[in-house]
Amino acid sequence: MKSKHFINLHKALTAPVVLGLMVFYHNFNLGPWVYLALHGTYGVMWLLKDRIYPDKQWEQEIPIGIGILGSGILMLYWVAPFILISSGSEPPLPLVAAAISINVMGVFLHYASDAQKYYTLKYRSGLITEGFFARCRNTNYLGEILIYSGFAMLAQHWLPFVILAGFMASIFIPNMLKKDKSLSRYPEFADYKANSGLLLPQLFLATTSNPNDPDFAQKTR
């Protein structure tokens, strides 16, 4: 099986799982509905993205056992809706508004930057140093962190934030560093790295070179 199969299954099951929790706990308040709309829609968009501009890193073949283990790990992302719905707590409206705003911004950065990466590399190889990647080398990961931060905020509990931090430490950051190591083979990378942040955008140039210069080659992870 491909690694994307267990990921896509998790995304597809998220909306039914959240709705099932709402039915089981008889909780149809504002918080659960907002969570269902945000996380459920995120899962649907992930499946659409996989059909329109799939990520090559999820195309690799993996043993079924690893896929099952991966599915179990991804279930940790369902802790937030479980806490929100089972506790019966009602997030205040300002918190709901903030969570929605952070989530929407994350979706924009995540899916739009992945689209730029996919279609740029489809027609030319090299470093991608413009657009979403001009000042941040991992805009897609930044977007994903914002997405799950919004989900965690709605739960109003520390555990979803700890889980997100665990994913960042064990998966996101190692992948970012691995990507940097891979891109270091390009002569232009040192200059690009000096003028872009690993995760957060670098707003000020560190050198006189312009990372948006058309002479730069284009590529990302």
Side-chain angles (χ1 to χ4, degrees):
M1 65 180 298
K2 295 182 178 180
S3 58
K4 73 175 185 178
H5 290 152
F6 74 87
I7 298 176
N8 290 351
L9 178 62
H10 169 80
K11 304 297 184 182
L13 288 177
T14 293
V17 166
V18 175
L19 186 58
L21 287 171
M22 293 169 64
V23 172
F24 184 82
Y25 288 101
H26 305 286
N27 187 345
F28 300 96
N29 294 324
L30 175 66
W33 279 115
V34 170
Y35 192 98
L36 174 62
L38 293 178
H39 206 161
T41 303
Y42 168 66
V44 172
M45 288 190 294
W46 178 282
L47 297 176
L48 290 173
K49 181 177 81 75
D50 181 63
R51 295 290 297 178
I52 300 171
Y53 51 100
D55 196 322
K56 289 184 178 179
Q57 69 172 321
W58 306 129
E59 296 292 330
Q60 60 182 336
E61 295 288 338
I62 60 172
I64 294 179
I66 298 298
I68 295 174
L69 176 62
S71 297
I73 294 175
L74 287 178
M75 288 175 67
L76 291 172
Y77 278 135
W78 292 340
V79 169
F82 171 78
I83 293 175
L84 169 64
I85 297 169
S86 64
S87 67
S89 63
E90 188 69 21
L93 292 180
L95 178 64
V96 171
I100 292 174
S101 297
I102 290 174
N103 182 269
V104 170
M105 179 61 71
V107 168
F108 170 68
L109 294 177
H110 179 43
Y111 287 122
S113 62
D114 268 357
Q116 178 188 352
K117 178 186 71 173
Y118 177 84
Y119 287 106
T120 297
L121 296 180
K122 183 177 181 179
Y123 296 106
R124 55 181 175 178
S125 61
L127 289 171
I128 297 179
T129 59
E130 61 183 3
F132 287 98
F133 298 96
R135 295 289 179 265
C136 177
R137 301 194 297 282
N138 295 282
T139 307
N140 43 2
Y141 278 121
L142 174 59
E144 194 164 0
I145 291 170
L146 291 177
I147 289 170
Y148 282 99
S149 294
F151 298 155
M153 290 172 62
L154 290 174
Q156 301 180 91
H157 195 279
W158 55 267
L159 184 55
F161 288 102
V162 171
I163 292 173
L164 176 57
F167 275 100
M168 291 174 59
S170 62
I171 299 176
F172 295 176
I173 294 178
N175 281 348
M176 295 181 213
L177 297 177
K178 181 180 178 181
K179 172 186 170 183
D180 269 9
K181 184 177 180 180
S182 175
L183 296 183
S184 64
R185 68 185 185 276
Y186 293 100
E188 308 91 345
F189 179 71
D191 192 34
Y192 172 52
K193 182 179 180 180
N195 289 285
S196 61
L198 179 67
L199 179 62
L200 298 177
Q202 182 168 314
L203 302 180
F204 302 99
L205 292 176
T207 70
T208 56
S209 299
N210 182 3
N212 291 318
D213 192 307
D215 291 335
F216 267 138
Q218 308 285 321
K219 184 174 176 141
T220 191
R221 65 185 178 119

